[in-house]
Amino acid sequence: MTIEEAMVDTDALEWKPLTDGIDVKLLFSSAETGRWTVLLKCAKGSFFARHKHYGPGEYYVIKGRMEYRMGMAKTGDYGYEPLGSVHDMTTFPEDTLLHFTNYGPVLFLGEDDQVEGILDSSFFENLCGS
């Protein structure tokens, strides 16, 4: 199966609530490859809890700042997160807009590393109606 060429009018997409203070727009997802690309609108003080990447990820900070185990990523910064990366917490000290692609699921971990939630292509397709 070939994925067709696409162009997305991001202004026409609705922001969907992902977690407290963080909204998402789904730009692309593929059940075939597991890849998903989103825009994240993160309010000042919002955060992602402890999680592990079961696929590598890439981000670009469109505006704002994001703080995580690698340090502070600011407007214009690009980052790569390899397979198996674990982040104890990712915080947003100011309103932030982030472009993020992951090549597989991200698992949110609780005590004793028990899986409490999964972000993957099917999660975003269900959330955003794609």
Side-chain angles (χ1 to χ4, degrees), residues 73-126:
K74 63 186 179 336
T75 299
D77 286 352
Y78 163 86
Y80 174 78
E81 300 168 312
L83 172 69
S85 294
V86 176
H87 302 120
D88 286 327
M89 185 176 283
T90 299
T91 61
F92 302 95
E94 62 186 63
D95 289 345
T96 301
L97 186 60
L98 188 70
H99 179 271
F100 184 79
T101 297
N102 213 71
Y103 297 86
V106 171
L107 277 60
F108 286 88
L109 307 173
E111 291 184 30
D112 300 323
D113 288 339
Q114 295 296 316
V115 175
E116 293 187 348
I118 299 173
L119 297 182
D120 62 6
S121 61
S122 64
F123 172 87
F124 286 110
E125 288 171 8
N126 288 333

Side-chain angles (χ1 to χ4, degrees), residues 10-71:
T10 61
D11 290 335
L13 298 175
E14 252 185 81
W15 286 106
K16 300 288 187 172
L18 182 58
T19 189
D20 289 341
I22 300 177
D23 295 331
V24 63
K25 288 185 179 184
L26 177 63
L27 304 181
F28 179 84
S29 69
S30 170
E32 179 182 38
T33 66
R35 183 175 82 99
W36 44 276
T37 299
V38 295
L39 285 177
L40 297 166
K41 182 172 65 171
C42 309
K44 178 180 179 177
S46 63
F47 65 91
F48 284 115
R50 179 176 168 78
H51 59 278
K52 182 173 184 176
H53 291 259
Y54 276 79
E58 299 177 272
Y59 67 82
Y60 177 77
V61 181
I62 297 168
K63 72 173 187 173
R65 292 184 300 145
M66 175 179 74
E67 193 170 317
Y68 73 117
R69 70 182 184 94
M70 291 293 295

